[in-house]
Amino acid sequence: MSASMADPSADLAFRRVRLARALLSDRVMPADPARSPARISFGLPALDEALQGGLARGALHEFHAVEGADAAAAGGLMLALACRAAETRPIVLVRQDFLERETGALHPAGLPELGLDPARLVLVRVRDVASLLQAGVEAARCPALGAVLLEFWGDHRAFDLTSSRRLALAAQEAALPILMMRAAAPATPSAATTRWQVRPGLSRALEVRAPGPPCFRLRLLKHRQGLDLREWCVEWNRDRAVFESRHAGPAAQNHPQSGGASLSRAVPALPADRDAAGERAGSGFRRAG
Amino acid sequence: MQRGAMRLAAVDARSLGLGLHPGMTLADARARLPGLPVHPADPARDAATLSALAAESEMFTPMVALDPPHGLMLDITGCAHLFGGEAGLMRRIRHRFRQRGHAPVLALAPTPDAARALARFGGGDCLSAVAAETRALPVAALEAGEEVLLALNRAGLKDLAALEACPPGVLAARFGAGLVTKLRRVLGQDNARITPLRRLPECMAERHFPEPILALDAVLALVKRLAGDLVQMLEARGEGGRRFELSLFRSDGQVRRLVVETGHACRDPAVIERLLALRIESLADPIDPGFGFDSVRLAVLASEAFGQVQPDFDGHRLEDLALEDLIDRLSTRFGAARVLRAEAEDTHDPVRAARFVPAQRGAVPSLWPEPEPGEGPRRPIRLFEPPQAIEALAEVPDGPPLRFRWRRVLHEVARAEGPERIAPEWWRVEAGTLARDYYRIEDAEGRRFWVFRQGFYGHSGQPPRWFLHGLFA
């Protein structure tokens, strides 16, 4: 590249060839490196630095929910990460049917609440894990996608080193992240670049003990490059589409009594002897909806 | 069984020669031929066999109709030259049906009615109908019923030539206009087209093999060539195909049909071949070539206008196309009902507020409620349908649960917000359905739930019940 920079005619020729190729070929060009950097950052400096810039884009990442009840949190974290990875590109989510019984069906109305436009999502429902892996590889071949998400339940023989390697290669070739949520599954050996354990964290309380933005406790269980295995508590800020440290911000404390300074906005009229922030649970009001 | 006696429903050629005929009582027949093998008549299986033969006959022409109870009507207009002329086609059909153990009587005629009359009343094969042969048919060939037949015979009218000589007005006055129409049709003066069993394809390409082909790979290679032919036809019409059907005609008469659909008009042979290959790969019961395939046909069942796509500079249009291709591939492999896109519905009922539709139908712009800045999610990402019953301890009358038990696990509630009252849509649900008060709650470990109380405290004798409806991220 430096040679071409030095010689303007060579650079021009290079661009011409590239343009001609783009126009002639029926295929979409692979993701533009400038548009999608090689790493998916969390947007949280402490976490990104520890991961040397974030999660590798063209790779397979596993997110484990130890208990079935945590699967919703792990799925939500994956969707939030997909938001960051895919930007405006479409996302394919492949779910095993069994998950619907165990953790509920995907509810599209909840996606905008995480910052993801449901129109960008294609859901593929599959019966078994073998089909799920097939669908994952198939989807990774599509150059238009921003991320491929896979979700399945339990331990499965179909998901082993070979099949995970196939997925990882497909992700690498397409420079596309494949994020996989596994619920109630042991950490079997796989070709995933990173493996995380995801648990929900107690959210930052809004006024009158209302649950705040989703909070996740992430534990790095494995990293290909042997990074420190640590634990982070992050909060997903949908409005800015970044992860934030759970302990940052003025309203970080768990106690509702000290719940931070609220922004100025309309509050309902209240009797003079009552406080809008609400001292006792159940007696307060806040504007919502 | 007819009038209490067992009767012969059908007899084969040999028994016919020995003097048996359909309608004879079984006792009579047994008296003449003590060792006569008989099988009970099974009209349902006869009909099934006939349908199978009809499907098989589609290798000769796409226009095949049933002619019950045991006839098939093939419209071979423009097809005969593919099989070496009419004589060649008839030979091939006879050979094929004889191989299956049938004894077909073939008749070729300018109109379906004539062909039917010749086959049933002409006494043997009739391979090139001339006017004289149809005129020599007995009046029974009109199939006008016993009474009419008797009356015609009494009047001395024995064959169709004699009937044709009568003034049509007189015939119509005596026997009704139906007889005259039927006569004109049998004589080829009036043509009633047949209605084919299956809708005619928009266009199709096929290959007949001199020897059956066993290898599925060879068939697939051929599919690509056929797709190339189809694409030329589609180009000439300015169209692209939406639904393609591959028919594999096995030499033993079985027909296997595979249908693939695309989300947009498609004119790329490689795409058609890939989708069909995927379809074959994902079949629950793999294709059994048996003794080989005799012929292969690729047809376009549905097509629509094709717009050439010009790539724009940032490649967005091509990206859309690439996504549609992926949706086609996934739909082919897993079924269109499993590859879905979400659509919003303007309602407060959470179950109806969002639904999934097959992605192949194309994206419909939906308006989703905007999230409120600074707030936590208002709707869960997982929904249980039906909602799951929980045991909850809550403040009366409308406090959120303090603790609740779901799937035998006790959750202590740390955060809660609500109620958000969602009344049932009375114009949809039955009377007496209770309103729901929804709460967003979070337990001490940070798991977030969407629960509701159905009904109110103190409204009826029983306390209201609690349900868990969804899970937040």
Side-chain angles (χ1 to χ4, degrees), chain B residues 9-10 23 57 108 139 167 173 224 227 234 237 281-282 309 330 341 345 365 373 405 425 443 457 462:
Chain B
S57 307
L108 181 74
V139 285
K224 196 165 184 180
L234 287 169
R237 297 156 61 129
E281 212 178 292
S282 62
V309 176
L330 292 172
R341 249 201 268 251
E345 179 84 30
R405 193 181 288 280
E425 296 174 327
D443 74 1
Y457 282 101
Q462 293 196 334

Side-chain angles (χ1 to χ4, degrees), chain A residues 123-213:
Chain A
L123 172 72
V124 185
R125 295 175 56 224
V126 293
R127 282 201 189 86
D128 47 31
V129 175
S131 317
L132 179 121
L133 300 172
Q134 262 182 3
V137 173
E138 187 77 51
R141 286 200 198 123
C142 175
L145 292 186
V148 177
L149 315 181
L150 311 174
E151 293 188 1
F152 68 97
W153 180 275
D155 189 18
H156 247 278
R157 260 185 304 166
F159 182 73
D160 54 11
L161 261 178
T162 318
S163 57
S164 62
R165 180 98 188 107
R166 201 171 291 143
L167 274 177
L169 277 177
Q172 197 184 343
E173 271 169 28
L176 185 76
I178 299 185
L179 311 180
M180 173 181 280
M181 195 279 284
R182 303 191 57 193
T188 48
S190 77
T193 305
T194 60
R195 181 180 302 134
W196 299 79
Q197 187 196 82
V198 184
R199 277 174 303 154
L202 197 62
S203 72
R204 172 166 58 88
L206 302 177
E207 299 151 60
V208 278
R209 284 181 61 222

Side-chain angles (χ1 to χ4, degrees), chain A:
Chain A
M1 197 62 194
S2 63
S4 65
M5 291 297 267
D7 180 1
S9 66
D11 181 43
L12 196 63
F14 170 74
R15 284 184 186 212
R16 212 174 262 157
V17 168
R18 213 179 124 173
L19 187 64
R21 205 175 282 159
L23 291 178
L24 285 178
S25 73
D26 244 4
R27 301 171 53 81
V28 183
M29 295 268 288
D32 182 7
R35 205 174 134 199
S36 29
R39 294 200 165 256
I40 309 160
S41 73
F42 281 79
L44 174 64
L47 184 50
D48 287 338
E49 270 164 36
L51 292 172
Q52 302 177 340
L55 296 177
R57 182 172 294 269
L60 171 69
H61 303 280
E62 275 182 46
F63 297 88
H64 281 255
V66 179
E67 287 173 51
D70 297 341
L77 175 87
M78 242 177 33
L79 286 171
L81 262 176
C83 281
R84 282 195 65 80
E87 285 155 11
T88 58
R89 288 167 169 241
I91 294 166
V92 169
L93 169 62
V94 191
R95 288 195 94 206
Q96 188 193 8
D97 283 348
F98 182 73
L99 276 177
E100 297 202 354
R101 236 182 313 158
E102 211 50 49
T103 73
L106 180 73
H107 186 46
L111 299 177
E113 305 285 338
L114 285 180
L116 182 73
D117 180 6
R120 278 165 53 205
L121 187 87
V122 176
L123 172 72
V124 185
R125 295 175 56 224
V126 293
R127 282 201 189 86
D128 47 31
V129 175
S131 317
L132 179 121
L133 300 172
Q134 262 182 3
V137 173
E138 187 77 51
R141 286 200 198 123
C142 175
L145 292 186
V148 177
L149 315 181
L150 311 174
E151 293 188 1
F152 68 97
W153 180 275
D155 189 18
H156 247 278
R157 260 185 304 166
F159 182 73
D160 54 11
L161 261 178
T162 318
S163 57
S164 62
R165 180 98 188 107
R166 201 171 291 143
L167 274 177
L169 277 177
Q172 197 184 343
E173 271 169 28
L176 185 76
I178 299 185
L179 311 180
M180 173 181 280
M181 195 279 284
R182 303 191 57 193
T188 48
S190 77
T193 305
T194 60
R195 181 180 302 134
W196 299 79
Q197 187 196 82
V198 184
R199 277 174 303 154
L202 197 62
S203 72
R204 172 166 58 88
L206 302 177
E207 299 151 60
V208 278
R209 284 181 61 222
C215 173
F216 308 100
R217 280 182 294 164
L218 301 176
R219 203 160 133 208
L220 188 55
L221 297 181
K222 169 196 160 182
H223 196 288
R224 263 283 172 86
Q225 284 152 346
L227 298 185
D228 279 352
L229 306 182
R230 280 178 48 195
E231 193 164 340
W232 291 271
C233 194
V234 297
E235 180 184 291
W236 172 240
N237 184 328
R238 167 200 56 215
D239 306 322
R240 288 175 50 219
V242 291
F243 286 94
E244 288 172 346
S245 174
R246 166 70 176 80
H247 299 289
Q253 284 76 23
N254 279 349
H255 310 293
Q257 285 82 357
S258 61
S262 60
L263 297 171
S264 67
R265 57 179 180 182
V267 287
L270 291 168
D273 59 334
R274 275 165 74 177
D275 179 16
E279 287 289 319
R280 282 183 301 113
S283 70
F285 296 95
R286 70 186 204 101
R287 193 190 143 276

Side-chain angles (χ1 to χ4, degrees), chain B residues 297-309:
Chain B
R297 168 184 299 164
L298 187 62
V300 179
L301 297 185
S303 63
E304 63 182 33
F306 184 83
Q308 285 287 356
V309 176

Side-chain angles (χ1 to χ4, degrees), chain B residues 8-9 22 31 38 47 63 84 92 105 124 129-130 147 219 325 329-330 338 340 378 398 427 456 466 472:
Chain B
L8 300 185
V38 289
M63 298 265 281
R92 189 136 174 200
V105 179
V130 284
E147 287 174 28
V219 171
D325 274 349
R329 291 204 301 274
L330 292 172
R338 290 185 158 268
L340 308 160
R378 288 168 305 173
D398 58 358
W427 59 95
F456 310 109
W466 286 85
F472 290 92

Side-chain angles (χ1 to χ4, degrees), chain B residues 148-189:
Chain B
V148 175
L149 189 61
L150 195 66
L152 286 173
N153 279 335
R154 279 192 185 148
L157 299 166
K158 300 287 182 203
D159 57 13
L160 299 190
L163 264 187
E164 196 192 8
C166 293
V170 176
L171 274 183
R174 172 70 181 80
F175 300 106
L179 189 78
V180 179
T181 315
K182 178 80 183 172
L183 179 66
R184 288 175 57 80
R185 284 181 178 171
V186 172
L187 292 177
Q189 294 158 349

